[in-house]
Amino acid sequence: FWISIFMVIISYLIRKNMEESPIFPKAKASGKTSTNPIKESFGNKFNFKFVLLALFGAVMGQGVIWYTGQFYAMSFLEKTMNIDKMQVDSLMFIALIMGTPLFLLFGWLSDKVGRKWIMMAGMLIAILSYRPIYEKMYQTTNVKHKQELAEKAVTLAEVKANKDKGMDSVYTITKEYSDGTKFKEVKKVTLENGVAKMVDGKPKSESKVTLNINSSDKWSLIWLVFIQVLFVTMVYGPIAAFLVELFPTKIRYTSMSLPYHIGNGVFGGLLPAVATYLATNAKKGNDPQWYLEGLWYPIGVAAVCLIIGIFYINAKDKEIDD
């Protein structure tokens, strides 16, 4: 966080010393810049069509794939798979560092072979791969498949005061498995006059499970997250140049800002909430694969974007020649 302050300063200095693209000063000198770019971008039906194409044919798919590969993956590891937060941060960091050069690779490759089909390929592969990837992730640390070391299982029970000035009976259960995985569950049962408080016929309780995974499982998960980062780089690497080339100079900044920010901020930003809702409902319905149901949101959005992008975005032509 503190380092980011220096990065902002560096970014400002870079931008301050950058020259505009040759096209913009030329357009400005000849008086061809727009006096009302908002009206020209969104009030002109012809231009607005390209704004919508950019959003629904490219950026919303890029947005959900970006959020899935980085933010949803992190949440899934920590909240659904119950892996220790420090381990999650560590493996996400390694996967992202490994994947970062691929942004440059796919940006460069899109200069050679075109933007559209690299982005469409990234979306298609992600759509087909997400559920198998997340199934593999979930099963990698599933303790049902691991051999428990009975002599390493310990249960500690104690009574502690809780935040509501009542008492909790706290059970700490620790286990170890033959592959080096360590399991810890802290279960709190609320007490009333020394007896478990009942809610809907069941003792009121809360439970938190934490797994410390072994090195082999950690690297398996790093590679599975890295694959998702690969999808991110395929759709994100070419997107800036794609948007720049889609709109004419005089309304370019205004026209590309709306699809970019809605695609990422709305479609991508809603992913955690929608995915959690879908997974929670599936879990309540006793779906054995409830942990995969949240993926239907990014898969559905990316599929719609893929279809629109393939059939309605021309890979060769811009909207208006500069």
Side-chain angles (χ1 to χ4, degrees), residues 98-151:
M98 289 167 56
T100 296
L102 297 178
F103 285 105
L104 301 176
L105 172 64
F106 286 111
W108 170 82
L109 188 61
S110 73
D111 288 338
K112 305 296 182 182
V113 302
R115 326 288 184 197
K116 171 181 172 177
W117 292 112
I118 293 176
M119 295 188 296
M120 297 301 110
M123 291 183 204
L124 177 61
I125 300 170
I127 290 166
L128 298 176
S129 303
Y130 274 151
R131 284 179 69 90
I133 286 173
Y134 276 83
E135 174 67 18
K136 178 64 176 176
M137 287 171 64
Y138 187 82
Q139 298 304 336
T140 295
T141 61
N142 190 343
V143 295
K144 291 181 180 179
H145 307 316
K146 299 180 184 293
Q147 182 180 355
E148 182 182 335
L149 299 175
E151 69 274 12

Side-chain angles (χ1 to χ4, degrees), residues 58-73:
V59 186
M60 75 174 185
Q62 172 258 303
V64 295
I65 288 172
W66 173 34
Y67 268 74
T68 302
Q70 294 182 221
F71 306 113
Y72 185 74

Side-chain angles (χ1 to χ4, degrees), residues 3-171:
I3 291 173
S4 71
I5 294 175
F6 297 101
M7 296 305 297
V8 169
I9 296 171
I10 292 170
S11 299
Y12 169 75
L13 293 174
I14 291 173
R15 179 66 187 90
K16 185 174 181 291
N17 291 284
M18 283 179 67
E19 294 182 359
E20 295 287 355
S21 66
I23 295 173
F24 184 76
K26 183 179 177 181
K28 191 174 182 179
S30 60
K32 291 183 179 180
T33 54
S34 175
T35 56
N36 192 338
I38 293 177
K39 183 178 179 180
E40 286 193 48
S41 296
F42 311 130
N44 181 306
K45 290 183 179 179
F46 184 71
N47 290 339
F48 190 54
K49 178 187 75 172
F50 283 86
V51 172
L52 295 178
L53 277 178
L55 172 59
F56 295 112
V59 186
M60 75 174 185
Q62 172 258 303
V64 295
I65 288 172
W66 173 34
Y67 268 74
T68 302
Q70 294 182 221
F71 306 113
Y72 185 74
M74 181 173 63
S75 176
F76 188 85
L77 290 164
E78 185 179 345
K79 305 296 184 183
T80 302
M81 296 172 61
N82 300 310
I83 299 174
D84 176 70
K85 178 171 172 49
M86 291 295 290
Q87 286 193 311
V88 171
D89 291 346
S90 171
L91 70 88
M92 288 296 302
F93 176 78
I94 295 170
L96 289 169
I97 289 294
M98 289 167 56
T100 296
L102 297 178
F103 285 105
L104 301 176
L105 172 64
F106 286 111
W108 170 82
L109 188 61
S110 73
D111 288 338
K112 305 296 182 182
V113 302
R115 326 288 184 197
K116 171 181 172 177
W117 292 112
I118 293 176
M119 295 188 296
M120 297 301 110
M123 291 183 204
L124 177 61
I125 300 170
I127 290 166
L128 298 176
S129 303
Y130 274 151
R131 284 179 69 90
I133 286 173
Y134 276 83
E135 174 67 18
K136 178 64 176 176
M137 287 171 64
Y138 187 82
Q139 298 304 336
T140 295
T141 61
N142 190 343
V143 295
K144 291 181 180 179
H145 307 316
K146 299 180 184 293
Q147 182 180 355
E148 182 182 335
L149 299 175
E151 69 274 12
K152 296 288 186 178
V154 177
T155 301
L156 175 65
E158 53 186 328
V159 177
K160 292 183 177 180
N162 61 34
K163 60 184 179 182
D164 298 321
K165 298 182 180 180
M167 303 298 289
D168 286 331
S169 183
V170 181
Y171 300 88

Side-chain angles (χ1 to χ4, degrees), residues 219-235:
W219 275 101
S220 294
L221 294 173
I222 287 171
W223 286 110
L224 290 167
V225 173
F226 168 76
I227 293 170
Q228 296 176 66
V229 176
L230 170 63
F231 304 154
V232 175
T233 62
M234 291 180 72
V235 296

